[in-house]
Amino acid sequence: MAKGLRASTKKANRSKLRSKVFEPVEDARTERLSAKLLEIASRPRPKADEDVRMEEGDKVQSKQQDEVPESKTRTMMSEEDMGIENNASTSTARPSSGPRVQKKRRFKAKSTAAFPVYSKGKRIGARRSSPILTFAIGFFPHKPFLPGRSQHHPGEIETIREPPFNKVIFMVVDALRSDFVYSNESGFLFTQSLIRSGAALPFTAHATSPTITMPRVKAITTGSIPSFLDVILNFAESDTSSSLATQDTWPAQLRAKPGGKLVMYGDDTWLKLFPDMFSRSDGTSSFFVSDFTEVDHNVTRHVPFELNQKDWNGMFMHYLGLDHIGHKSGPRSPHMVPKHREMDGIVQEIYEALESRDHLHSTLLVLCGDHGMNDAGNHGGSAPGETSPALVFVSPKLREISSGKTCPPSNPEDEFQYYSVVEQSDVAPTLAGLLGFPIPMNNLGVFIPELLRFWPDDQKISMMNQNAAQVLRIVKAAYGDAAFDDSLYGQKCARPSSDIEQLLCQWREVSISQEKENLERMTKFLRSAQSIMSSAASNYDVSKLEFGIAIALMAAVVALLALWTTAVTTNPSTAWAGVVTVAYGAMMFASSYVEEEHHFWYWIGSGWLGWLHIKLFWKEIKLQSWRIWTVPLLFATNRIVRRWNQTGQKHAGEPDISKTFFSTHSLSLWTLVIITFIDLVRRLTWYGLPGVDRRPTFLVTLGLCLSAFGFKVGFTIADAPELLAGIPSYLWAPMGEVPLVTQARTVFAGIALSVLYSLYRRFYRTTGGYLLWNHEWPLHDLLTLLLVTQSRVTNIPLFLISYIQLHVLSSLNLDSAEITVTSAIFQYASFFAFGGSNAISSIDLSNAYNGVSEYNVVAVGILTFIGNWAGPIWWVSATNILLLEASRREKRSVLEKHATLLTAFTASSLVFVMLACTMLRTHLFIWTVFSPKYLYSMAWSIGQHLMINMGFGRLLYRLGSPDG
C-alpha cells in the first residue's frame, strides 16, 4: 500500500516538473535557438578565403578544447549532454523529449568490421572488431626516441686525430647471408682475396628479428632497435609514417658535414625513410620479386658515373636481385652463384676505383646484407640463416691495421657464424668514428674493436668514452637519472638484484678503473647496456591490451550464448568444436606449437575424418553401401596434401612435393596442371554460361582457361624457368612473349564478365526458369579459376585434389554442425598446405602484382591476401555448396547455425591469442613468434572470417538459395 502511494506521489511530482519547469525552459531555449538559426541563415555566404580562415579557426578551437583539463572537460560535456546553457539562471535536467541542438563532438574513428552473431535464425547483434585494433595499438606502439641531433661536445674533436676516411660507399645486397660471401661455395672470389690480403675486414652482423628490410635499415642507420610495427609498414610502399626524417641517423650526420651530399640507387625503402635526403637517386620497388636482373642493372648503370664525381661524401646502393632469387627458388638456386659473381664484380669495380682515383683515396666501402634467409629462401623470423648477414669493410687503407685472414675459413664456429660476430647496430658508431661525425643520439651500438686500431691507445679510450657516454644517456632516459646516483653504488653493487643494477655497477667500475683496464671494462659496459636495452620490454599500453581482451571476451561469450540457444548445441559435432577450440587456445601459450601449428590442424583433421568414418560405418554397414570407403579416400588425399609444402620452422627446408619433387620432375608437374585446367574447362562448359548452348560455351570457356594457362606458363618463364626443364621450348616460348600484365588483365576481365553474366542470368532468367546450380555452381568454378591464377604453379594441382575431397564430403550428407567443423579444419589445413605459416617470412608476394603495372595499395593488398589465403577462400565457397545441399535436405536455412558456430570459434581463439601475447609479453620469443602470430590472427579474424566467411560466403549462399 505504502509502496503504491510513494509511486503515485513520484509520478505526480514528475508531471508537475514537466508542466511547470521543463517545458517552459525547453520552449524558451527552442525559441532562442530558432532565432539564432534564422539569423545565421540570413547572413551572406562567406567567401572562399573566409571559409579557409574559419576552418583554421575551428582547428585552433578544437585544439584548445582538446587541451582543456580532464575535470573541466567532464563538466563541459556533462552540461552539453544535459542541454544546459551557460546563461541559464537555473540548472535543470534536460527533458526526455523535445528538440535539441547538439554540438558536434570529436570521436575517435571506430572500425566497422564486426563479428555477426545469430540466434534462432536472426542476426541479434555484432561485436565490432575494434578490440582487435585496440589490442594491436597497445601491443605494437611506436617506440619513443630522443629528439634532436647529436653534437660533438667541447673538447671531443681536439682529443682525436683526423678520421681515416672522408667518404663512404654503402653497398647493401639484400639477404646477403654470411656464407654467401665466406664459404667455399661462394661466388665472391675477389672479395675473399681482399680478406686474405688485409684490404677487407670480415664480420657476421647479427640481425635481430624481425629480419625484414625496413626495420633492418633503421637499425643500421640509427643504431637503435626498431619497432615491430615496421613489419606492417614494410609491406606498404605508399607509407610515409615510418620516415626517419625527424630522427638522428648517421646518413643525416654525414650529410650535415661541410660539403656533405648523398646519392642513392636501389631499393626505394631508403627514399621512403630519408625523404629529401639524397641529391641524386633512382629507386626501385622491392616487391616485384620475379625480377632478378633489371632491378640490379638499374643500380649498376649509375656506378661508373658516380665514381667519377667528386661532389658527394656518401653513396648508397641497395641491390635486390639476390633476395628475389631466394624468395623464388631458395638459397641453393642455380641463379644464386651467378648473382654472387655479379655482386663481386661491383665490389671489384669500386675497389679498383679506390686504388686508382685520388678523390676516392680516403673512401671506405661497406658491403653488407640487411638480413639473411632461411633454407626456404624467406626471411622475417629468427632462424640462424635469417639473422646472420655478412658485413665487410673494404679499403686499401685497411692494410695498415690488418695483415689478412684466412678465407674461406676452415672451421667456422657455426653454420653461419664466420669470423667475429657483431650487432648490426654497431655499424652506426663505427662509421661515426671512421668518418668523424657525432654518434646518432638513439644509438645502442658499440664501436667494433678491430677498427679501433686506426688510433693509438689513449685515443681508443676517448673514442669508446664518447660511445659509452652516448649510450648512458639512452639508459638514463629509459630508467631515470636516479638509477645512476653515486650514493647508490655501494648499496647496490654489494648484491645487485636486477640487470639495471648490475649495469650500474659496471659503470662504476668504468669510472674508477685505470686506463689500461678502462677499454675492456667500457666495452663490457656497452655490451651489457646494449643487451639490456635491446631486450627490454616494449612500451606496451597495458590498459589497451586489457580493454581489447575484455571486449573480445564479451564477443566470444555473446557468440557462445547465441550458440546455446540453437539446437546445434546438442549435436556431437559441437563437442568436437569445443575440443578443437580449447586445444587450439592452449597451444597458443607455447612458442614451438605456434611455429609448428600446421601439425595441429593435420592431426585434428585426421581425428575428425576418423570420427566421420566411425559414424558412417555404423550407419551404412547394414546397407553395405559403397560410401563406407569414401572417408579412407579423404585420408589418402589428406596425406598427399600434408606433404605438398613443408612449412613451419623446424622442417622448412625439408624435401616436399612442391619444391623438391617438382624441381626434378617438371613433366609430372605440368601434367597435373594441364589436368586441372581440363577439369575446369569441363566444369565451366557444363555450368559456366547458363542459358547458352554447349558449343559456344565450350569455346568461350576454352579461351578463358587457355588465357589463364598461358599466363601461368609465361609467369613461370620469368619466375622459375627451371620448372620448364625437359619440356621442348617451342611448346612454351610463345607464351612468354606477351607482357604478363596484359595476360593477367585479360584473365581477370574474362572472369569478371563471366561472373556478371551468371549474375544476370540469376536475377533475370527467362520464362521457364533457370536453376542457378544443382550440384556444381558456376561461380565456384570461376572462383577456382581466379584462385588458380593467383597461386604458385606448383600449388595448382592442390585444387584438383580439393575437388576430389569436395565430392567425397558431398556424398556423406553432413549436417550443418559437421559442415562447419569440417570447413574450419579444412580452411586452416589448406592455408598451411599451400605453404603458409605463422612466420612473416612465409608471406608470398609472387602474385601480388598480377595485372598491376604501378603500385596500388588496394590492388596489391587484395591480390596478396588472395594469393596467400587461396586455399581457405576456396573452402569457403566449397562450404557454401555443402550448406546449400544440407538446406535442401533439411528444408530450411542452415546458414545461421554455421555462422554462429564459426564465429564462436573465431572469437574464442582470438581471445586465447590475445591472452598469450599479454601474459608472455616479456617472453624471449615475443617478437619472433607471438607477435607475428597476432598479426596472422588479425588477418584470420578480419580478413578471412569477417570478409570472406561472413561477407563473401553469405553472399554466395544467398545467390545459391532458391529465394535468395
Side-chain angles (χ1 to χ4, degrees), residues 211 401 497 537 751 773:
T211 49
I401 63 172
S497 59
I751 294 174
W773 85 288

Side-chain angles (χ1 to χ4, degrees), residues 43 174 228 230 237 360 546 553 556 695 826 875 915 936:
R43 293 176 183 175
D174 209 289
F228 194 86
D230 291 317
E237 288 197 359
L360 298 176
E546 293 173 347
L553 183 61
R695 182 170 297 178
F826 274 71
W875 276 106
L915 285 172
Y936 275 98

Side-chain angles (χ1 to χ4, degrees), residues 119 605 617:
S119 178
F617 181 83

Side-chain angles (χ1 to χ4, degrees), residues 437-646:
F437 53 76
I439 299 173
M441 186 168 289
N442 293 280
N443 165 73
L444 292 174
V446 181
F447 199 109
I448 298 176
E450 286 87 340
L451 290 161
L452 280 172
R453 299 170 189 165
F454 277 112
W455 292 271
D457 289 343
D458 59 333
Q459 293 189 9
K460 290 179 184 178
I461 296 176
S462 297
M463 296 287 293
M464 295 300 290
N465 189 53
Q466 292 180 24
N467 195 177
Q470 178 270 323
V471 171
L472 183 62
R473 287 194 292 270
I474 299 291
V475 177
K476 286 183 176 181
Y479 293 95
D481 291 337
F484 286 79
D485 188 354
D486 291 341
S487 62
L488 300 177
Y489 283 137
Q491 173 186 349
K492 292 188 176 181
C493 291
R495 186 175 298 175
S497 59
S498 64
D499 290 338
I500 194 63
E501 291 185 3
Q502 183 68 39
L503 187 65
L504 168 71
C505 300
Q506 291 178 1
W507 178 248
R508 176 61 172 168
E509 292 176 358
V510 170
S511 303
I512 64 175
S513 61
Q514 300 297 322
E515 286 191 1
K516 293 183 179 180
E517 302 172 343
N518 207 17
L519 187 62
E520 180 181 350
R521 291 185 175 180
M522 214 174 310
T523 304
K524 181 180 178 181
F525 164 77
L526 284 168
R527 289 298 179 193
S528 298
Q530 184 183 59
S531 176
I532 292 173
M533 297 303 295
S534 299
S535 60
S538 178
N539 54 330
Y540 302 105
D541 190 333
V542 179
S543 62
K544 285 187 172 63
L545 301 183
E546 293 173 347
F547 177 78
I549 293 173
I551 301 302
L553 183 61
M554 290 174 60
V557 170
V558 170
L560 291 172
L561 290 175
L563 187 66
W564 185 262
T565 62
T566 63
V568 75
T569 54
T570 61
N571 194 308
S573 301
T574 309
W576 257 98
V579 171
V580 171
T581 302
V582 173
Y584 181 79
M587 187 181 68
M588 292 299 101
F589 292 85
S591 60
S592 296
Y593 285 112
V594 173
E595 290 178 330
E596 307 299 320
E597 183 183 334
H598 56 287
H599 289 304
F600 171 82
W601 292 108
Y602 293 156
W603 295 335
I604 287 293
S606 298
W608 173 247
L609 292 180
W611 161 256
L612 292 180
H613 181 62
I614 293 173
K615 176 185 174 183
L616 183 66
F617 181 83
W618 290 111
K619 182 178 179 180
E620 302 289 343
I621 187 65
K622 297 180 181 180
L623 303 176
Q624 297 182 351
S625 173
W626 60 272
R627 292 198 302 165
I628 295 177
W629 306 105
T630 55
V631 176
L633 180 59
L634 283 177
F635 275 111
T637 55
N638 263 12
R639 183 59 185 170
I640 296 173
V641 168
R642 289 175 59 175
R643 295 292 298 172
W644 206 269
N645 282 289
Q646 285 286 4

Side-chain angles (χ1 to χ4, degrees), residues 210-514:
T211 49
I212 296 178
T213 296
M214 180 182 287
R216 293 297 91 225
V217 171
K218 282 189 172 184
I220 291 172
T221 56
T222 64
S224 63
I225 306 301
S227 169
F228 194 86
L229 187 63
D230 291 317
V231 173
I232 303 174
L233 301 179
N234 186 79
F235 293 99
E237 288 197 359
S238 59
D239 170 70
T240 57
S241 62
S242 56
S243 169
L244 293 175
T246 59
Q247 293 192 39
D248 194 12
T249 63
W250 67 258
Q253 291 283 359
L254 183 63
R255 184 172 181 254
K257 293 187 68 176
K261 180 182 287 188
L262 309 182
V263 296
M264 187 273 157
Y265 303 100
D267 187 355
D268 57 7
T269 298
W270 289 81
L271 303 180
K272 181 165 54 175
L273 290 175
F274 300 98
D276 304 323
M277 178 72 72
F278 304 102
S279 300
R280 293 186 294 274
S281 63
D282 188 4
T284 56
S285 175
S286 60
F287 292 119
F288 287 97
V289 292
S290 302
D291 183 6
F292 299 165
T293 55
E294 292 301 323
V295 71
D296 287 345
H297 290 167
N298 193 54
V299 180
T300 303
R301 66 189 178 92
H302 297 285
V303 173
F305 171 80
E306 292 296 350
L307 291 178
N308 289 323
Q309 304 305 305
K310 301 179 181 180
D311 61 340
W312 55 263
N313 65 343
M315 177 179 172
F316 297 79
M317 300 181 294
H318 194 135
Y319 287 92
L320 295 166
L322 186 141
D323 178 64
H324 291 182
I325 293 172
H327 281 298
K328 289 303 178 183
S329 46
R332 300 178 184 85
S333 167
H335 301 287
M336 192 61 76
V337 174
K339 180 59 69 173
H340 293 177
R341 298 193 186 103
E342 179 187 343
M343 296 295 100
D344 191 54
I346 306 302
V347 174
Q348 183 174 358
E349 180 181 358
I350 295 174
Y351 182 80
E352 290 174 352
L354 301 186
E355 284 189 314
S356 60
R357 302 177 191 181
D358 292 338
H359 68 281
L360 298 176
H361 177 69
S362 296
T363 301
L364 174 66
L365 168 63
V366 180
L367 169 67
C368 67
D370 53 346
H371 50 73
M373 65 176 66
N374 58 23
D375 289 339
N378 298 319
H379 55 87
S382 58
E386 299 173 69
T387 59
S388 302
L391 173 64
V392 188
F393 294 85
V394 181
S395 172
K397 280 191 172 185
L398 290 174
R399 290 196 178 100
E400 301 174 9
I401 63 172
S402 174
S403 59
K405 296 185 178 183
T406 303
C407 190
S410 55
N411 54 344
E413 294 183 10
D414 200 356
E415 184 178 5
F416 305 109
Q417 303 296 318
Y418 293 85
Y419 305 109
S420 300
V421 179
V422 299
E423 293 293 328
Q424 268 189 340
S425 56
D426 296 345
V427 170
T430 302
L431 290 181
L434 294 174
L435 292 159
F437 53 76
I439 299 173
M441 186 168 289
N442 293 280
N443 165 73
L444 292 174
V446 181
F447 199 109
I448 298 176
E450 286 87 340
L451 290 161
L452 280 172
R453 299 170 189 165
F454 277 112
W455 292 271
D457 289 343
D458 59 333
Q459 293 189 9
K460 290 179 184 178
I461 296 176
S462 297
M463 296 287 293
M464 295 300 290
N465 189 53
Q466 292 180 24
N467 195 177
Q470 178 270 323
V471 171
L472 183 62
R473 287 194 292 270
I474 299 291
V475 177
K476 286 183 176 181
Y479 293 95
D481 291 337
F484 286 79
D485 188 354
D486 291 341
S487 62
L488 300 177
Y489 283 137
Q491 173 186 349
K492 292 188 176 181
C493 291
R495 186 175 298 175
S497 59
S498 64
D499 290 338
I500 194 63
E501 291 185 3
Q502 183 68 39
L503 187 65
L504 168 71
C505 300
Q506 291 178 1
W507 178 248
R508 176 61 172 168
E509 292 176 358
V510 170
S511 303
I512 64 175
S513 61
Q514 300 297 322

